[in-house]
Amino acid sequence: MTDRQRVDEERSLEVLNNIENLILEIVTCLSKDEAPALVLPNRSSWDNISFDSAIGLQMSSTSAVMTIRSDCPKTATTLSQILKILSVTYTLVQSNSYATKRDIYYNHPQLFGSQKIVDKIVDDVSCMLKVPRRVLRVLTTSKGVISGDLCYMEEDGTRIDCHSSSAGKGFPDVNSRLMVRKLWDVLHVPVFTLVDADPHGIEIMCIYKYGSVAMSFEAQSLTIPSAMWLGLLPSDLERLQVPRSALLPLTKTDENKLDSLLKRPYVTDQPEWLKEMALMQKNRLKAEIQSLAAIGPDFLTSIYLPNKLRFGGWL
């Protein structure tokens, strides 16, 4: 048995024991004619978050909690949904099998009502049990893609060749963040982010680098604190004289997002980021990566990226 397999087995036993203890508490309450309740960490509040520049956003050990009670009309359904997820998880871990969150929803659509509820509760349970979601044997369909001179072996022996015409894109899901973190840990490669020059692009970069509030309890395995902002920088738009016709005005939603980013605890550690965001705020303009095509159809791949990587210019 490898060290990884040994750790996974220990965690699986821990999950089973923790679920058994939770169910025992509920049964004990019922036997005493008391209303069962579960206590969950509040994953949505910045008040529960601490910041460590070497790790990123972390859930505080003294984080505020939410109590989910069976005798409260607002939370009774949520309690039954959590118990169902615990039941499914227990079966998966015990049988060493896997299920997707989509599977769970479609097996019990009337109970959960929507896929989003399943997604949230699975993460709540993961946080409550203090284990990564993968230990619960609940999978998600990855939204990210990978491309490049890389081959690796899955645990089941499947060989994956990453040569393709795709690239990582979109809002970072957990699988994509785990993969990038793994590459950083194992290969010690520098990590650069290329995102749109808008508040939402900046947030995507921040999540890869520092993590998110909702998944702060898994920061140790998800964040890449050394990740660098390669582009598209707001200052690049001026430096490269990107045509005004290729730029877009910030919307009210963009401005609110930018204001929120400026209040994040990690921004004070990044004075160069502050300058870039202040420039965006001043000019009230944003741009997609594709805006560089207004300079030349292959400007991004032939000039912008090679020069950035060769001569610097990242933050």
Side-chain angles (χ1 to χ4, degrees), residues 119-135:
D119 297 348
K120 178 183 181 302
I121 291 178
V122 168
D123 288 338
D124 283 339
V125 168
S126 176
C127 183
M128 179 174 64
L129 297 177
K130 295 182 173 60
V131 295
R133 192 177 63 204
R134 61 187 179 278
V135 177

Side-chain angles (χ1 to χ4, degrees), residues 52-111:
D52 184 328
S53 59
I55 298 172
L57 301 176
Q58 299 180 94
M59 181 167 283
S60 305
S61 57
T62 56
S63 58
V65 297
M66 302 177 294
T67 301
I68 311 298
R69 300 184 59 85
S70 62
D71 58 351
C72 174
K74 291 185 178 179
T75 61
T77 299
T78 302
L79 181 62
S80 64
Q81 292 166 339
I82 292 172
L83 292 177
K84 173 54 72 175
I85 295 294
L86 287 172
S87 173
V88 170
T89 298
Y90 190 90
T91 301
L92 292 172
V93 175
Q94 193 176 48
S95 61
N96 195 28
S97 55
Y98 293 84
T100 66
K101 293 191 289 187
R102 195 170 183 82
D103 292 333
I104 295 173
Y105 168 66
Y106 279 109
N107 283 330
H108 312 282
Q110 291 184 329
L111 173 61

Side-chain angles (χ1 to χ4, degrees), residues 143-293:
K143 299 175 185 175
V145 288
I146 185 169
S147 171
D149 188 14
L150 173 70
C151 294
Y152 67 93
M153 195 79 73
E154 295 278 8
E155 287 187 349
D156 62 2
T158 304
R159 185 176 183 273
I160 306 297
D161 188 339
C162 299
H163 283 93
S164 73
S165 59
S166 300
K169 59 183 180 180
F171 198 83
D173 64 329
V174 172
N175 286 351
S176 299
R177 292 164 64 189
L178 282 169
M179 186 64 181
V180 177
R181 174 61 189 244
K182 187 72 171 179
L183 292 174
W184 182 62
D185 281 340
V186 175
L187 302 179
H188 309 294
V189 293
V191 176
F192 296 97
T193 56
L194 177 66
V195 296
D196 292 335
D198 65 17
H200 295 278
I202 295 172
E203 182 167 50
I204 287 173
M205 173 193 61
C206 290
I207 289 174
Y208 274 110
K209 186 176 179 72
Y210 293 126
S212 62
V213 173
M215 297 300 292
S216 59
F217 63 96
E218 274 201 62
Q220 294 277 1
S221 61
L222 292 176
T223 60
I224 308 100
S226 67
M228 292 162 280
W229 187 5
L230 183 66
L232 188 62
L233 303 178
S235 59
D236 288 337
L237 305 179
E238 293 186 347
R239 178 176 61 85
L240 299 172
Q241 297 183 353
V242 178
R244 180 85 180 203
S245 60
L247 307 180
L248 297 168
L250 291 180
T251 66
K252 184 61 179 177
T253 300
D254 292 327
E255 292 176 351
N256 291 340
K257 174 64 69 176
L258 187 57
D259 289 341
S260 170
L261 286 167
L262 287 166
K263 296 174 183 176
R264 303 280 172 89
Y266 42 69
V267 169
T268 55
D269 276 12
Q270 299 287 350
E272 295 302 316
W273 287 17
L274 279 171
K275 291 180 183 178
E276 294 292 335
M277 287 190 273
L279 182 61
M280 183 184 294
Q281 201 170 43
K282 173 188 172 185
N283 293 336
R284 302 187 69 182
L285 292 171
K286 62 181 180 178
E288 297 179 347
I289 298 170
Q290 290 84 350
S291 67
L292 296 183

